[in-house]
Amino acid sequence: EKCQCKVAPRERLNCGHPGITAEECRRAGCCFSASVPGVPWCFTPKQRRVRKVCPSDVRARVNCGFPGITAQECQRKGCCFVPHPVGVPWCFYHRTVTE
């Protein structure tokens, strides 16, 4: 993705051979930018950052507990706990978000 290729020129790690084309570089899963001389043009992308979040939309909640589960029991399972509204899971799984 584009944001993974936003690497400062001095931080680029070479990902290709001398003379590699932009197409060959991208096909290898690398980033290509010939805009700065003296640094690798074909370089390793940044790693994706992933984090867990508790969904704010009640429709996105996927049940992680059972009727009557306490906040402590839910959190011990590694899940989110929000005791409202009625009729939706109060103990539910996190969502994984890629940044």
Coordinates of all heavy atoms in Angstrom, one line a residue:
E1 N 0.8 -1.2 0.0 CA 0.0 0.0 0.0 C 0.9 1.2 0.0 O 2.0 1.2 0.4 CB -0.9 0.0 1.2 CG -1.9 -1.1 1.2 CD -2.9 -1.1 2.4 OE1 -3.1 0.0 3.0 OE2 -3.3 -2.1 2.8
K2 N 0.3 2.4 -0.5 CA 1.1 3.6 -0.6 C 1.7 4.0 0.7 O 2.9 4.4 0.8 CB 0.2 4.7 -1.1 CG 0.1 4.7 -2.6 CD -0.6 5.9 -3.1 CE -0.7 5.9 -4.6 NZ -1.4 7.1 -5.1
C3 N 1.0 4.0 1.8 CA 1.5 4.5 3.1 C 2.7 3.6 3.6 O 3.6 4.2 4.3 CB 0.4 4.6 4.2 SG -0.3 3.0 4.6
Q4 N 2.8 2.4 3.2 CA 3.9 1.5 3.6 C 5.2 1.9 2.8 O 6.3 1.6 3.2 CB 3.6 0.1 3.3 CG 2.6 -0.5 4.3 CD 2.4 -2.0 4.0 OE1 1.4 -2.3 3.2 NE2 3.2 -2.8 4.5
C5 N 5.0 2.7 1.7 CA 6.2 3.1 1.0 C 6.7 4.5 1.3 O 7.6 5.0 0.7 CB 5.9 3.0 -0.5 SG 5.7 1.3 -1.1
K6 N 6.0 5.1 2.3 CA 6.5 6.4 2.8 C 7.6 6.2 3.7 O 7.4 6.3 4.9 CB 5.3 7.2 3.4 CG 4.3 7.7 2.4 CD 3.2 8.5 3.0 CE 2.2 8.9 1.9 NZ 1.1 9.7 2.5
V7 N 8.8 6.0 3.2 CA 10.0 5.7 4.0 C 11.0 6.9 3.7 O 11.2 7.2 2.5 CB 10.6 4.4 3.6 CG1 11.9 4.1 4.3 CG2 9.6 3.3 3.8
A8 N 11.5 7.5 4.7 CA 12.5 8.6 4.5 C 13.7 8.0 3.7 O 14.1 6.9 3.9 CB 13.0 9.1 5.8
P9 N 14.2 8.7 2.7 CA 15.3 8.2 1.8 C 16.5 7.6 2.6 O 17.0 6.6 2.2 CB 15.7 9.5 1.0 CG 14.5 10.3 0.9 CD 13.8 10.1 2.2
R10 N 16.9 8.3 3.7 CA 18.0 7.8 4.4 C 17.7 6.5 5.2 O 18.6 5.8 5.7 CB 18.6 8.8 5.4 CG 17.7 9.2 6.5 CD 18.2 10.3 7.3 NE 17.3 10.7 8.4 CZ 16.2 11.4 8.3 NH1 15.8 11.8 7.1 NH2 15.4 11.6 9.3
E11 N 16.4 6.1 5.3 CA 16.0 4.9 6.0 C 15.7 3.7 5.1 O 15.3 2.7 5.6 CB 14.8 5.2 6.9 CG 15.1 6.2 8.0 CD 13.9 6.6 8.8 OE1 12.8 6.1 8.6 OE2 14.0 7.5 9.6
R12 N 15.8 4.0 3.8 CA 15.5 2.9 2.8 C 16.5 1.7 2.9 O 17.7 1.9 3.0 CB 15.5 3.5 1.4 CG 14.4 4.4 1.2 CD 14.5 4.9 -0.3 NE 13.5 5.9 -0.5 CZ 13.3 6.6 -1.7 NH1 14.2 6.3 -2.7 NH2 12.4 7.4 -1.9
L13 N 15.9 0.5 2.9 CA 16.7 -0.7 2.9 C 16.5 -1.3 1.5 O 15.4 -1.5 1.0 CB 16.2 -1.7 3.9 CG 16.3 -1.2 5.4 CD1 15.7 -2.3 6.3 CD2 17.8 -1.0 5.8
N14 N 17.7 -1.6 0.8 CA 17.7 -2.1 -0.5 C 16.9 -3.4 -0.7 O 17.0 -4.2 0.2 CB 19.1 -2.3 -1.0 CG 19.2 -2.4 -2.5 OD1 18.2 -2.3 -3.2 ND2 20.4 -2.8 -3.0
C15 N 16.1 -3.4 -1.7 CA 15.2 -4.6 -1.9 C 15.4 -5.1 -3.3 O 14.6 -6.0 -3.7 CB 13.8 -4.1 -1.7 SG 12.6 -5.5 -1.5
G16 N 16.3 -4.6 -4.1 CA 16.5 -5.1 -5.4 C 17.9 -5.1 -5.9 O 18.8 -4.7 -5.2
H17 N 18.1 -5.5 -7.1 CA 19.5 -5.5 -7.7 C 19.7 -4.2 -8.5 O 18.7 -3.6 -8.9 CB 19.6 -6.8 -8.6 CG 18.6 -6.8 -9.7 ND1 18.7 -6.1 -10.9 CD2 17.4 -7.5 -9.8 CE1 17.6 -6.4 -11.6 NE2 16.8 -7.2 -11.0
P18 N 20.9 -3.9 -8.8 CA 21.2 -2.7 -9.6 C 20.5 -2.8 -11.0 O 20.5 -3.9 -11.6 CB 22.7 -2.7 -9.8 CG 23.2 -3.5 -8.6 CD 22.2 -4.5 -8.4
G19 N 19.8 -1.8 -11.4 CA 19.1 -1.8 -12.7 C 17.7 -2.3 -12.6 O 17.1 -2.5 -13.7
I20 N 17.2 -2.7 -11.5 CA 15.9 -3.3 -11.4 C 14.8 -2.3 -11.9 O 15.0 -1.1 -11.6 CB 15.6 -3.8 -10.0 CG1 14.3 -4.6 -9.9 CG2 15.4 -2.6 -9.0 CD1 14.0 -5.4 -8.6
T21 N 13.8 -2.7 -12.6 CA 12.8 -1.8 -13.0 C 11.7 -1.6 -12.0 O 11.7 -2.4 -11.0 CB 12.1 -2.3 -14.3 OG1 11.4 -3.5 -14.0 CG2 13.1 -2.6 -15.4
A22 N 11.0 -0.6 -12.1 CA 9.9 -0.3 -11.1 C 8.9 -1.5 -11.1 O 8.5 -2.0 -10.0 CB 9.1 0.9 -11.5
E23 N 8.6 -2.1 -12.3 CA 7.7 -3.2 -12.3 C 8.2 -4.4 -11.6 O 7.5 -5.1 -10.8 CB 7.3 -3.5 -13.8 CG 6.3 -4.6 -13.9 CD 5.9 -4.9 -15.4 OE1 6.0 -4.0 -16.2 OE2 5.5 -6.0 -15.7
E24 N 9.5 -4.7 -11.9 CA 10.1 -5.9 -11.2 C 10.2 -5.7 -9.7 O 9.9 -6.6 -9.0 CB 11.6 -6.1 -11.7 CG 11.7 -6.5 -13.2 CD 13.1 -6.4 -13.7 OE1 13.9 -5.5 -13.3 OE2 13.5 -7.3 -14.4
C25 N 10.5 -4.5 -9.3 CA 10.6 -4.2 -7.9 C 9.2 -4.4 -7.2 O 9.1 -5.0 -6.2 CB 11.0 -2.7 -7.7 SG 11.1 -2.1 -6.0
R26 N 8.2 -3.8 -7.8 CA 6.8 -4.0 -7.2 C 6.4 -5.4 -7.2 O 5.7 -5.9 -6.3 CB 5.9 -3.0 -7.9 CG 6.1 -1.6 -7.6 CD 5.1 -0.6 -8.2 NE 5.5 0.7 -7.9 CZ 6.0 1.6 -8.9 NH1 6.1 1.2 -10.1 NH2 6.3 2.8 -8.6
R27 N 6.7 -6.1 -8.3 CA 6.3 -7.6 -8.3 C 7.0 -8.4 -7.2 O 6.4 -9.4 -6.8 CB 6.7 -8.2 -9.7 CG 5.5 -8.7 -10.4 CD 5.9 -9.4 -11.7 NE 6.2 -8.5 -12.8 CZ 7.3 -8.6 -13.6 NH1 8.1 -9.6 -13.4 NH2 7.5 -7.7 -14.5
A28 N 8.1 -7.9 -6.7 CA 8.8 -8.6 -5.6 C 8.3 -8.1 -4.3 O 8.8 -8.6 -3.2 CB 10.3 -8.2 -5.7
G29 N 7.3 -7.3 -4.3 CA 6.7 -6.8 -3.0 C 7.4 -5.7 -2.4 O 7.2 -5.4 -1.2
C30 N 8.1 -4.9 -3.2 CA 8.9 -3.8 -2.7 C 8.4 -2.5 -3.2 O 7.5 -2.5 -4.0 CB 10.4 -4.0 -3.1 SG 11.1 -5.5 -2.6
C31 N 8.9 -1.4 -2.7 CA 8.5 -0.1 -3.1 C 9.5 0.5 -4.1 O 10.7 0.1 -4.0 CB 8.5 0.9 -1.9 SG 7.3 0.3 -0.6
F32 N 9.1 1.3 -5.0 CA 10.1 1.9 -6.0 C 9.8 3.4 -6.1 O 8.7 3.9 -6.2 CB 9.9 1.3 -7.4 CG 10.9 1.7 -8.4 CD1 12.1 1.0 -8.5 CD2 10.7 2.8 -9.1 CE1 13.0 1.4 -9.4 CE2 11.7 3.2 -10.1 CZ 12.8 2.5 -10.2
S33 N 10.9 4.2 -5.9 CA 10.9 5.6 -6.1 C 12.3 6.1 -6.6 O 13.2 5.9 -5.8 CB 10.5 6.4 -4.9 OG 10.6 7.8 -5.1
A34 N 12.4 6.6 -7.8 CA 13.7 7.1 -8.3 C 13.8 8.6 -8.1 O 14.6 9.2 -8.8 CB 13.7 6.7 -9.8
S35 N 13.1 9.1 -7.2 CA 13.1 10.6 -7.0 C 14.3 11.1 -6.3 O 14.6 12.3 -6.3 CB 11.8 11.0 -6.3 OG 11.8 10.5 -5.0
V36 N 15.1 10.3 -5.5 CA 16.2 10.8 -4.7 C 17.5 10.0 -5.2 O 17.5 8.8 -5.0 CB 16.0 10.5 -3.2 CG1 17.1 11.1 -2.4 CG2 14.7 11.2 -2.8
P37 N 18.4 10.7 -5.8 CA 19.7 10.0 -6.2 C 20.5 9.6 -4.9 O 20.4 10.2 -3.9 CB 20.4 11.0 -7.0 CG 19.8 12.3 -6.6 CD 18.4 12.1 -6.1
G38 N 21.3 8.5 -5.1 CA 22.2 8.1 -4.0 C 21.6 7.3 -2.9 O 22.3 7.0 -2.0
V39 N 20.4 6.9 -3.1 CA 19.7 6.0 -2.1 C 19.1 4.9 -2.9 O 18.8 5.0 -4.1 CB 18.7 6.7 -1.2 CG1 19.4 7.8 -0.3 CG2 17.6 7.3 -2.0
P40 N 18.7 3.7 -2.2 CA 18.1 2.7 -3.0 C 16.7 3.2 -3.6 O 15.9 3.8 -2.9 CB 17.8 1.6 -1.9 CG 18.8 1.8 -0.9 CD 19.0 3.3 -0.8
W41 N 16.5 2.8 -4.8 CA 15.3 3.2 -5.5 C 14.2 2.1 -5.3 O 13.0 2.3 -5.3 CB 15.5 3.4 -7.0 CG 16.2 4.7 -7.3 CD1 16.7 5.6 -6.4 CD2 16.6 5.1 -8.5 NE1 17.3 6.6 -7.0 CE2 17.3 6.4 -8.4 CE3 16.5 4.7 -9.8 CZ2 17.8 7.1 -9.4 CZ3 17.0 5.4 -10.9 CH2 17.7 6.6 -10.7
C42 N 14.7 0.9 -5.1 CA 13.8 -0.3 -4.8 C 14.1 -0.6 -3.4 O 15.2 -1.0 -3.0 CB 14.1 -1.5 -5.8 SG 13.1 -2.9 -5.5
F43 N 13.1 -0.5 -2.5 CA 13.4 -0.6 -1.1 C 12.2 -1.3 -0.4 O 11.1 -1.4 -0.9 CB 13.6 0.8 -0.5 CG 12.5 1.8 -0.7 CD1 11.5 2.0 0.2 CD2 12.5 2.5 -1.9 CE1 10.5 2.9 -0.1 CE2 11.5 3.5 -2.2 CZ 10.5 3.7 -1.2
T44 N 12.6 -1.8 0.8 CA 11.6 -2.6 1.6 C 10.5 -1.7 2.2 O 10.9 -0.6 2.7 CB 12.4 -3.2 2.8 OG1 13.5 -4.0 2.3 CG2 11.5 -4.1 3.6
P45 N 9.3 -2.1 2.1 CA 8.2 -1.3 2.7 C 8.2 -1.3 4.2 O 8.7 -2.3 4.8 CB 6.9 -1.9 2.1 CG 7.3 -3.3 1.8 CD 8.8 -3.3 1.4
K46 N 7.5 -0.3 4.8 CA 7.3 -0.4 6.3 C 6.4 -1.5 6.6 O 5.6 -1.9 5.8 CB 6.6 0.9 6.7 CG 7.4 2.1 6.7 CD 6.6 3.2 7.3 CE 6.9 4.6 6.8 NZ 6.0 5.6 7.4
Q47 N 6.6 -2.1 7.8 CA 5.7 -3.1 8.2 C 4.4 -2.5 8.6 O 4.3 -1.4 9.1 CB 6.3 -3.9 9.5 CG 7.4 -4.8 9.1 CD 7.7 -5.7 10.3 OE1 7.6 -5.3 11.4 NE2 8.1 -6.9 10.0
R48 N 3.3 -3.3 8.3 CA 2.0 -2.9 8.7 C 1.8 -2.9 10.2 O 2.3 -3.8 10.9 CB 0.9 -3.8 8.1 CG 0.8 -3.7 6.7 CD -0.3 -4.7 6.2 NE -0.3 -4.8 4.8 CZ -1.4 -4.6 4.1 NH1 -2.5 -4.5 4.6 NH2 -1.3 -4.7 2.8
R49 N 1.2 -1.9 10.8 CA 0.9 -1.9 12.2 C -0.5 -2.3 12.4 O -1.4 -1.8 11.8 CB 1.2 -0.5 12.8 CG 2.7 -0.1 12.7 CD 3.2 1.0 13.6 NE 2.3 1.9 14.1 CZ 2.4 3.2 14.0 NH1 3.3 3.7 13.3 NH2 1.5 4.0 14.5
V50 N -0.7 -3.2 13.3 CA -2.0 -3.7 13.6 C -2.3 -3.5 15.1 O -1.4 -3.6 15.9 CB -2.0 -5.3 13.3 CG1 -3.3 -5.9 13.7 CG2 -1.7 -5.5 11.9
R51 N -3.5 -3.1 15.4 CA -3.9 -3.0 16.8 C -5.4 -3.5 17.0 O -6.1 -3.6 16.0 CB -3.8 -1.5 17.2 CG -4.7 -0.5 16.5 CD -4.4 0.9 17.0 NE -5.1 1.8 16.1 CZ -6.2 2.4 16.5 NH1 -6.7 2.3 17.7 NH2 -6.9 3.3 15.7
K52 N -5.7 -3.8 18.2 CA -7.0 -4.3 18.5 C -7.8 -3.2 19.1 O -7.3 -2.4 19.9 CB -6.9 -5.4 19.6 CG -6.4 -6.7 19.1 CD -6.4 -7.7 20.2 CE -5.9 -9.1 19.7 NZ -6.0 -10.1 20.8
V53 N -9.1 -3.1 18.7 CA -10.0 -2.0 19.2 C -11.3 -2.7 19.5 O -11.7 -3.7 18.9 CB -10.2 -0.9 18.2 CG1 -8.9 -0.1 17.9 CG2 -10.8 -1.4 16.9
C54 N -12.0 -2.1 20.5 CA -13.4 -2.5 20.8 C -14.3 -1.8 19.8 O -14.3 -0.5 19.8 CB -13.7 -2.2 22.2 SG -12.7 -3.1 23.4
P55 N -15.1 -2.5 19.0 CA -16.0 -1.8 18.1 C -17.0 -0.9 18.8 O -17.6 -1.3 19.8 CB -16.6 -2.9 17.3 CG -16.4 -4.1 18.1 CD -15.3 -3.9 19.0
S56 N -17.2 0.3 18.3 CA -18.1 1.3 18.9 C -19.5 1.0 18.4 O -20.5 1.4 19.0 CB -17.7 2.7 18.7 OG -17.5 3.0 17.3
D57 N -19.6 0.5 17.2 CA -21.0 0.2 16.6 C -21.5 -1.1 17.2 O -20.9 -2.2 17.0 CB -20.8 0.0 15.1 CG -22.1 -0.2 14.3 OD1 -23.2 -0.4 15.0 OD2 -22.1 -0.1 13.1
V58 N -22.6 -1.1 17.9 CA -23.2 -2.3 18.5 C -23.5 -3.4 17.5 O -23.4 -4.6 17.9 CB -24.4 -2.0 19.4 CG1 -24.1 -1.1 20.5 CG2 -25.5 -1.4 18.6
R59 N -23.7 -3.0 16.3 CA -24.0 -4.1 15.2 C -22.8 -4.9 14.9 O -22.8 -5.9 14.3 CB -24.6 -3.4 14.0 CG -26.0 -2.8 14.3 CD -26.4 -2.0 13.1 NE -25.5 -0.9 13.0 CZ -25.6 0.2 12.2 NH1 -26.7 0.2 11.4 NH2 -24.8 1.1 12.1
A60 N -21.6 -4.3 15.2 CA -20.3 -5.0 14.9 C -19.9 -6.0 16.0 O -18.9 -6.7 15.9 CB -19.2 -4.0 14.6
R61 N -20.6 -6.0 17.1 CA -20.2 -6.9 18.3 C -20.5 -8.3 17.9 O -21.5 -8.7 17.5 CB -21.1 -6.5 19.5 CG -20.7 -5.1 20.0 CD -21.5 -4.8 21.3 NE -21.3 -3.5 21.8 CZ -21.8 -3.0 22.9 NH1 -22.7 -3.8 23.6 NH2 -21.5 -1.8 23.3
V62 N -19.4 -9.1 18.2 CA -19.5 -10.6 18.1 C -19.4 -11.2 19.5 O -18.4 -10.9 20.2 CB -18.4 -11.1 17.1 CG1 -18.5 -12.7 17.1 CG2 -18.6 -10.5 15.7
N63 N -20.4 -11.9 19.9 CA -20.4 -12.4 21.3 C -19.2 -13.2 21.7 O -18.8 -14.1 21.0 CB -21.7 -13.3 21.4 CG -22.1 -13.5 22.9 OD1 -21.4 -13.1 23.8 ND2 -23.2 -14.2 23.1
C64 N -18.7 -12.9 22.9 CA -17.5 -13.5 23.4 C -17.8 -14.2 24.8 O -16.9 -14.8 25.4 CB -16.4 -12.5 23.5 SG -14.8 -13.1 24.2
G65 N -19.0 -14.0 25.2 CA -19.3 -14.5 26.6 C -20.6 -15.3 26.6 O -20.9 -16.1 25.7
F66 N -21.3 -15.1 27.8 CA -22.5 -15.9 28.0 C -23.4 -15.0 28.9 O -22.9 -14.0 29.5 CB -22.2 -17.2 28.7 CG -21.3 -17.0 29.9 CD1 -21.9 -16.7 31.2 CD2 -19.9 -17.1 29.8 CE1 -21.1 -16.5 32.3 CE2 -19.1 -17.0 30.9 CZ -19.7 -16.6 32.2
P67 N -24.7 -15.3 28.9 CA -25.6 -14.4 29.7 C -25.1 -14.4 31.2 O -24.8 -15.4 31.8 CB -26.9 -15.1 29.6 CG -26.9 -15.9 28.3 CD -25.4 -16.3 28.2
G68 N -25.0 -13.2 31.7 CA -24.6 -13.0 33.1 C -23.1 -12.9 33.3 O -22.6 -12.8 34.5
I69 N -22.3 -13.0 32.3 CA -20.8 -12.9 32.4 C -20.5 -11.5 33.1 O -21.1 -10.5 32.8 CB -20.1 -13.0 31.1 CG1 -18.6 -13.2 31.3 CG2 -20.4 -11.9 30.2 CD1 -17.8 -13.7 30.1
T70 N -19.5 -11.5 34.0 CA -19.1 -10.3 34.6 C -18.0 -9.6 33.8 O -17.4 -10.2 32.9 CB -18.5 -10.6 36.0 OG1 -17.3 -11.3 35.9 CG2 -19.5 -11.3 36.9
A71 N -17.8 -8.3 34.1 CA -16.7 -7.6 33.3 C -15.4 -8.3 33.5 O -14.6 -8.4 32.6 CB -16.7 -6.2 33.8
Q72 N -15.1 -8.7 34.7 CA -13.8 -9.4 35.0 C -13.6 -10.7 34.2 O -12.6 -10.9 33.6 CB -13.7 -9.7 36.5 CG -13.1 -8.6 37.3 CD -12.8 -9.0 38.7 OE1 -13.5 -9.9 39.3 NE2 -11.8 -8.5 39.3
E73 N -14.7 -11.5 34.2 CA -14.6 -12.8 33.4 C -14.4 -12.5 32.0 O -13.6 -13.1 31.3 CB -15.9 -13.5 33.6 CG -16.1 -14.1 35.0 CD -17.5 -14.7 35.2 OE1 -18.5 -14.1 34.8 OE2 -17.6 -15.8 35.8
C74 N -15.1 -11.5 31.5 CA -15.0 -11.1 30.1 C -13.6 -10.6 29.7 O -13.0 -11.1 28.7 CB -16.0 -10.0 29.7 SG -16.0 -9.5 28.0
Q75 N -13.0 -9.8 30.5 CA -11.7 -9.2 30.3 C -10.6 -10.3 30.5 O -9.6 -10.3 29.7 CB -11.5 -8.0 31.2 CG -12.3 -6.8 30.8 CD -12.5 -5.8 31.8 OE1 -12.0 -5.9 33.0 NE2 -13.1 -4.7 31.4
R76 N -10.8 -11.3 31.3 CA -9.9 -12.4 31.5 C -9.9 -13.2 30.2 O -8.8 -13.8 29.8 CB -10.3 -13.3 32.6 CG -9.6 -12.9 33.9 CD -9.6 -14.0 34.9 NE -11.0 -14.4 35.3 CZ -11.7 -14.0 36.3 NH1 -11.1 -13.1 37.2 NH2 -12.9 -14.4 36.6
K77 N -11.0 -13.2 29.5 CA -11.0 -13.9 28.2 C -10.4 -13.1 27.1 O -10.2 -13.5 25.9 CB -12.5 -14.2 27.8 CG -13.1 -15.3 28.6 CD -14.6 -15.5 28.2 CE -14.6 -16.3 26.9 NZ -15.9 -16.8 26.5
G78 N -10.0 -11.8 27.4 CA -9.3 -11.0 26.4 C -10.3 -10.2 25.5 O -10.0 -9.8 24.4
C79 N -11.6 -10.1 26.0 CA -12.6 -9.4 25.2 C -13.0 -8.1 25.8 O -12.6 -7.7 26.9 CB -13.9 -10.4 25.2 SG -13.5 -11.9 24.4
C80 N -13.8 -7.4 25.0 CA -14.3 -6.1 25.4 C -15.6 -6.3 26.3 O -16.4 -7.2 26.0 CB -14.7 -5.2 24.2 SG -13.4 -5.0 23.0
F81 N -15.9 -5.3 27.2 CA -17.1 -5.4 28.0 C -17.7 -4.0 28.1 O -17.1 -3.1 28.6 CB -16.8 -5.9 29.4 CG -18.0 -6.2 30.2 CD1 -18.7 -7.4 30.1 CD2 -18.5 -5.2 31.1 CE1 -19.9 -7.6 30.9 CE2 -19.7 -5.4 31.8 CZ -20.3 -6.6 31.7
V82 N -18.9 -3.9 27.6 CA -19.7 -2.6 27.7 C -21.1 -3.1 28.0 O -21.8 -3.6 27.2 CB -19.7 -1.8 26.3 CG1 -20.5 -0.6 26.5 CG2 -18.2 -1.5 25.9
P83 N -21.6 -2.8 29.2 CA -22.9 -3.3 29.7 C -24.1 -2.5 29.3 O -25.0 -2.2 30.0 CB -22.7 -3.2 31.2 CG -21.8 -2.0 31.4 CD -20.9 -2.1 30.3
H84 N -24.2 -2.2 28.0 CA -25.3 -1.6 27.4 C -25.2 -1.6 25.9 O -24.1 -1.8 25.4 CB -25.5 -0.1 28.0 CG -24.3 0.8 27.7 ND1 -24.0 1.3 26.5 CD2 -23.3 1.1 28.6 CE1 -22.8 2.0 26.6 NE2 -22.4 1.9 27.9
P85 N -26.2 -1.4 25.1 CA -27.6 -1.4 25.4 C -28.1 -2.8 25.6 O -27.4 -3.8 25.4 CB -28.2 -0.7 24.2 CG -27.3 -1.0 23.1 CD -25.9 -1.1 23.7
V86 N -29.4 -2.9 26.0 CA -30.0 -4.2 26.1 C -30.2 -4.8 24.7 O -30.4 -4.1 23.8 CB -31.4 -4.0 26.8 CG1 -32.2 -5.3 26.9 CG2 -31.2 -3.4 28.2
G87 N -30.1 -6.1 24.7 CA -30.4 -6.9 23.5 C -29.2 -7.1 22.6 O -29.3 -7.7 21.5
V88 N -28.0 -6.7 23.0 CA -26.8 -6.9 22.2 C -25.7 -7.5 23.2 O -25.8 -7.4 24.4 CB -26.2 -5.7 21.5 CG1 -27.2 -5.1 20.5 CG2 -25.8 -4.6 22.6
P89 N -24.7 -8.2 22.6 CA -23.7 -8.8 23.5 C -23.0 -7.7 24.3 O -22.6 -6.7 23.7 CB -22.7 -9.5 22.6 CG -23.5 -9.7 21.3 CD -24.5 -8.6 21.2
W90 N -22.8 -7.9 25.6 CA -22.0 -7.0 26.4 C -20.6 -7.4 26.5 O -19.7 -6.5 26.7 CB -22.6 -6.9 27.8 CG -23.9 -6.3 27.9 CD1 -24.7 -5.7 26.9 CD2 -24.7 -6.0 29.1 NE1 -25.9 -5.2 27.3 CE2 -25.9 -5.4 28.7 CE3 -24.5 -6.3 30.4 CZ2 -26.9 -5.0 29.6 CZ3 -25.5 -5.9 31.3 CH2 -26.7 -5.3 30.9
C91 N -20.3 -8.6 26.3 CA -18.9 -9.2 26.2 C -18.7 -9.6 24.8 O -19.4 -10.4 24.2 CB -18.8 -10.4 27.2 SG -17.1 -11.1 27.2
F92 N -17.8 -8.9 24.1 CA -17.6 -9.1 22.7 C -16.1 -9.0 22.3 O -15.3 -8.4 23.0 CB -18.5 -8.1 21.9 CG -18.3 -6.7 22.3 CD1 -17.4 -5.9 21.6 CD2 -19.0 -6.2 23.4 CE1 -17.3 -4.5 22.0 CE2 -18.9 -4.9 23.7 CZ -18.0 -4.0 23.1
Y93 N -15.8 -9.6 21.1 CA -14.4 -9.7 20.6 C -14.0 -8.3 20.1 O -14.7 -7.5 19.6 CB -14.3 -10.7 19.5 CG -14.5 -12.1 19.9 CD1 -15.7 -12.8 19.7 CD2 -13.4 -12.8 20.5 CE1 -15.8 -14.1 20.2 CE2 -13.5 -14.1 20.9 CZ -14.7 -14.8 20.8 OH -14.9 -16.0 21.2
H94 N -12.6 -8.1 20.2 CA -12.0 -7.0 19.6 C -12.0 -7.1 18.1 O -12.2 -8.2 17.6 CB -10.5 -6.9 20.0 CG -10.3 -6.6 21.4 ND1 -10.1 -7.6 22.4 CD2 -10.1 -5.4 22.1 CE1 -9.9 -7.0 23.5 NE2 -9.9 -5.7 23.4
R95 N -11.9 -6.0 17.4 CA -11.6 -6.0 16.0 C -10.2 -5.6 15.8 O -9.6 -4.9 16.5 CB -12.5 -4.9 15.3 CG -13.9 -5.3 15.1 CD -14.7 -4.3 14.3 NE -14.1 -3.9 13.1 CZ -14.0 -2.6 12.7 NH1 -14.5 -1.6 13.4 NH2 -13.3 -2.3 11.6
T96 N -9.6 -6.2 14.7 CA -8.2 -5.9 14.4 C -8.2 -4.8 13.3 O -8.9 -5.0 12.3 CB -7.5 -7.2 13.9 OG1 -7.6 -8.2 14.9 CG2 -6.0 -6.9 13.6
V97 N -7.5 -3.8 13.6 CA -7.4 -2.7 12.6 C -6.0 -2.5 12.1 O -5.0 -2.5 12.9 CB -7.9 -1.3 13.3 CG1 -7.7 -0.2 12.4 CG2 -9.3 -1.5 13.8
T98 N -5.8 -2.4 10.8 CA -4.5 -2.2 10.2 C -4.3 -0.7 10.0 O -5.2 -0.1 9.4 CB -4.4 -3.0 8.9 OG1 -4.7 -4.3 9.1 CG2 -3.0 -2.8 8.3
E99 N -3.2 -0.2 10.4 CA -2.9 1.2 10.3 C -2.0 1.5 9.1 O -1.1 0.7 8.8 CB -2.3 1.8 11.6 CG -3.2 1.6 12.7 CD -2.6 2.1 14.0 OE1 -1.4 1.9 14.2 OE2 -3.3 2.6 14.9

